[in-house]
Amino acid sequence: MHYWYGCIDTPFKEYRDHLRKFRIITDTIQVKRDLGNMIPDKSWMLYLLEIFNIQKRAVELNLICQFDGQNYFEAIFGGRNQYRFRKVLPQVGNTYYREITFKDKESTIEYYLKDVDMDVEEIFRLTVNKELFAFQFHQCFTGIEWWNRMRNEPYRIRYEAHISNLMYGYNDDLKDPDSKTFFPIGTVYENKDGNANSYPINLKMLDRVNGCICYIVT
């Protein structure tokens, strides 16, 4: 009933000298085409931007599509929904910038979302307990996740989407919170749930753009 297919990266392999400073992960998702709503009753699917800390706790800013036609962006922490974005909503043809930032000094995780075409942005800040959550990156995942409450199989995705600008970053000037340095996410590796034999999608990897991995989900 729970499936995923995508790519995973461990920044230690490429950025061992910078990993301890990484506090930001970003991508850009363009909703290219609506393929129709074939999501089974009581089920949903997610286009993931997900980072795991060194305790393997997941932090996500996902585009979610539901069986009832609701499509929205959601901030998730430790597998629990925290905030549904209300100002920035998915529209076919539009491009969205997603950014997750660990702010250890403030004991917060900041979820930032911007509709690049409409120039509309929205921010959600989640307060977490520093004694229970380590503000240090370990691994990221990009791809698709299915929840099927009716059958034991993944189903057709709702949107064809273009993913790009996958990057890690950190604040490089403590006096200027908007001063940031970014590094393209390195070599990604295929990652699957291990349960399903086939998936109703194709992750078409494209050439890097500005050094960044990009691909189409179709």
Side-chain angles (χ1 to χ4, degrees):
M1 297 176 66
H2 176 210
Y3 306 93
W4 68 84
Y5 176 52
C7 299
I8 200 160
D9 177 69
T10 304
F12 176 81
K13 296 176 182 178
E14 289 87 11
Y15 297 123
R16 64 182 64 191
D17 295 333
H18 300 281
L19 177 59
R20 64 180 179 80
K21 297 185 288 186
F22 285 160
R23 295 294 184 274
I24 307 168
I25 185 170
T26 76
D27 80 352
T28 300
I29 178 168
Q30 182 186 27
V31 181
K32 296 185 68 68
R33 192 157 61 102
D34 191 337
L35 303 175
N37 191 7
M38 302 294 290
I39 301 174
D41 190 28
K42 304 295 189 298
S43 305
W44 64 94
M45 61 161 297
L46 309 93
Y47 296 77
L48 297 160
L49 176 64
E50 183 173 26
I51 189 78
F52 297 90
N53 76 342
I54 57 174
Q55 299 159 311
K56 306 294 180 65
R57 298 193 67 182
V59 182
E60 309 166 54
L61 203 175
N62 300 330
L63 168 57
I64 300 178
C65 302
Q66 292 191 166
F67 70 98
D68 56 3
Q70 294 188 64
N71 307 301
Y72 53 90
F73 292 94
E74 184 87 25
I76 298 174
F77 176 73
R80 295 180 179 273
N81 292 358
Q82 302 293 330
Y83 177 77
R84 181 182 295 195
F85 288 82
R86 303 290 184 182
K87 291 172 57 180
V88 181
L89 299 173
Q91 298 184 51
V92 174
N94 285 17
T95 299
Y96 301 88
Y97 175 78
R98 299 187 287 189
E99 182 177 291
I100 300 171
T101 304
F102 288 4
K103 294 194 170 186
D104 37 348
K105 288 187 177 181
E106 294 90 347
S107 298
T108 61
I109 298 172
E110 182 176 284
Y111 301 79
Y112 174 82
L113 180 64
K114 181 176 182 179
D115 184 325
V116 176
D117 297 278
M118 303 295 291
D119 195 27
V120 177
E121 58 185 7
E122 192 170 354
I123 298 174
F124 170 67
R125 296 180 179 91
L126 177 69
T127 300
V128 297
N129 188 334
K130 290 178 67 173
E131 296 181 358
L132 301 177
F133 181 83
F135 286 78
Q136 187 173 338
F137 284 8
H138 171 67
Q139 207 167 49
C140 80
F141 181 82
T142 177
I144 303 296
E145 183 176 326
W146 295 265
W147 288 86
N148 192 339
R149 295 299 189 188
M150 304 302 294
R151 293 181 295 276
N152 293 323
E153 61 183 10
Y155 42 82
R156 184 179 178 183
I157 59 173
R158 177 66 190 264
Y159 292 131
E160 180 178 286
H162 180 210
I163 311 296
S164 60
N165 295 323
L166 282 154
M167 294 186 289
Y168 302 114
Y170 62 88
N171 172 240
D172 57 11
D173 185 349
L174 296 179
K175 296 180 180 179
D176 181 3
D178 294 323
S179 181
K180 303 171 184 177
T181 295
F182 288 97
F183 298 80
I185 285 179
T187 303
V188 294
Y189 299 92
E190 184 181 75
N191 186 270
K192 300 179 180 180
D193 54 72
N195 296 316
N197 293 321
S198 62
Y199 302 80
I201 63 170
N202 178 36
L203 298 184
K204 183 180 179 183
M205 304 302 292
L206 306 176
D207 292 335
R208 288 179 180 260
V209 177
N210 298 323
C212 297
I213 291 169
C214 56
Y215 64 91
I216 291 176
V217 184
T218 188

